[in-house]
């Protein structure tokens, strides 16, 4: 029983760290309420800052992608209990992001600044919508499973782990990846677009587009019905006014 309690506490701590990291990320990208944000004063030579930032983004992308692959999950569960696998992924992702926040090197330079109040407000609304969509989407597909709490709770109760069925709730009937649509809004809706922010947005967008291909390949192998779903529902842009077959 003690072992099950410790695993549950591990999962709960990993989830708590994720929540703190998520809240910090909002302030980091939006440049408010955090000690060091994306557009803090530039530090050091531009070339050095670019290399450091690219390395931090690459580290997060590799961690996020490698640990999400089924082969790595199988390897990890040879070392750790199955109930800890998702929480370990969440913990590693949070630590990679916290390292990025700590070591990020702003590049300086403003590409555009929206002075019109209506335009400014519209972009801020898009920024808030993006973060909100990310959070809402996690609950649409089972928030607590996605972040490992469901697994450690079932383990605490002595229940076997159970794979979730493939479902397509409301948002997923419009596009296959509403979560990533939320990230695009969060990263690109900026009243002030700096060189730093543009670099971050371009790099994360490129990673997301690659990650989608890897994720969909795994989903098609795990869920036979995913191929038909992929043909029926667009990836990122909804088909307004078109009948769905």
């Amino acid at each position: 029983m003690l072992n099950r309690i410790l695993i549950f506490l591990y999962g709960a701590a990993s989830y708590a760290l994720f929540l703190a990291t998520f809240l910090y990320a909002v302030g980091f990208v939006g440049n408010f309420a955090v000690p060091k944000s994306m557009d803090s004063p530039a530090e050091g030579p531009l070339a050095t800052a670019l290399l450091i930032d690219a390395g931090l983004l690459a580290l997060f992308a590799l961690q996020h992608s490698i640990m999400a692959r089924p082969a790595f999950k199988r390897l990890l569960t040879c070392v750790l209990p199955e109930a800890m696998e998702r929480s370990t992924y969440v913990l590693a992702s949070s630590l990679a992001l916290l390292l990025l926040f700590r070591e990020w090197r702003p590049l300086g330079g403003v590409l555009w600044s929206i002075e019109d109040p209506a335009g400014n407000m519209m972009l801020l609304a898009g920024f808030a919508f993006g973060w909100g969509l990310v959070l809402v989407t996690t609950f649409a597909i089972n928030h607590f499973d996605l972040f490992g709490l469901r697994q450690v709770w079932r383990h605490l109760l002595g229940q076997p782990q159970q794979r979730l069925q493939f479902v397509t709730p409301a948002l997923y009937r419009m596009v296959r990846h509403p979560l990533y649509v939320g990230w695009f809004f969060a990263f690109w809706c900026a009243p002030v677009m700096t060189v730093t922010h543009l670099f971050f947005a371009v790099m994360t967008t490129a990673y997301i587009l690659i990650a989608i291909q890897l994720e969909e390949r795994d989903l098609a192998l795990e869920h036979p019905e995913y191929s038909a779903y992929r043909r029926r529902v667009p990836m990122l842009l909804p088909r307004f006014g078109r009948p769905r077959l």
Side-chain angles (χ1 to χ4, degrees):
M1 184 62 183
L2 177 60
N3 181 62
R4 295 206 299 266
I5 292 173
L6 290 175
I7 289 175
F8 175 76
L9 292 175
Y10 173 82
S14 298
Y15 180 74
L17 184 62
F18 150 74
L19 285 179
T21 304
F22 181 84
L23 291 174
Y24 194 101
V26 177
F28 177 80
V29 177
N31 296 302
F32 65 89
V34 295
K36 181 180 179 181
S37 67
M38 182 186 297
D39 289 317
S40 294
E43 302 175 12
L46 177 62
T48 302
L50 273 172
L51 286 174
I52 292 173
D53 292 348
L56 292 167
L57 288 168
L59 177 64
F60 174 78
L62 288 171
Q63 174 274 317
H64 220 59
S65 292
I66 292 173
M67 291 190 71
R69 304 281 70 79
F72 187 92
K73 292 178 183 181
R74 289 192 294 270
L75 180 63
L76 188 61
T77 52
C78 291
V79 181
L80 298 175
E82 183 182 359
M84 293 177 63
E85 181 269 320
R86 191 65 188 181
S87 293
T88 301
Y89 175 81
V90 170
L91 175 62
S93 298
S94 298
L95 292 175
L97 275 178
L98 290 173
L99 177 65
L100 185 148
F101 299 152
R102 175 185 170 86
E103 299 300 330
W104 184 260
R105 297 294 188 270
L107 308 174
V110 175
L111 297 174
W112 73 67
S113 178
I114 306 300
E115 304 298 335
D116 177 66
N120 191 287
M121 185 61 66
M122 185 170 64
L123 286 171
L124 288 176
F127 175 82
F129 169 78
W131 289 102
L133 180 60
V134 167
L135 192 58
V136 168
T137 301
T138 66
F139 282 98
I141 57 176
N142 198 317
H143 176 88
F144 298 109
D145 183 86
L146 188 63
F147 294 102
L149 278 183
R150 176 178 175 271
Q151 293 87 328
V152 295
W153 176 249
R154 291 181 67 88
H155 184 72
L156 178 66
L157 298 180
Q159 298 176 352
Q161 297 302 318
Q162 186 177 39
R163 192 179 70 175
L164 295 177
Q165 297 298 312
F166 177 74
V167 295
T168 55
L171 290 171
Y172 284 84
R173 294 173 195 154
M174 298 175 65
V175 293
R176 300 198 303 273
H177 299 282
L179 182 71
Y180 295 140
V181 174
W183 288 127
F184 289 148
F185 272 92
F187 295 157
W188 285 98
C189 288
V192 178
M193 179 61 77
T194 63
V195 174
T196 311
H197 198 128
L198 181 65
F199 175 74
F200 178 88
V202 168
M203 294 292 285
T204 51
T205 296
Y207 164 67
I208 287 172
L209 294 176
I210 294 170
I212 286 174
Q213 306 307 313
L214 297 173
E215 182 179 320
E216 292 204 325
R217 182 193 64 185
D218 293 341
L219 286 169
L221 291 174
E222 185 175 359
H223 301 283
E225 62 270 45
Y226 191 83
S227 295
Y229 169 71
R230 181 164 54 185
R231 290 192 297 270
R232 186 174 69 252
V233 178
M235 185 170 71
L236 296 168
L237 298 176
R239 300 188 186 113
F240 293 113
R242 294 186 183 181
R244 292 191 180 94
L245 302 178

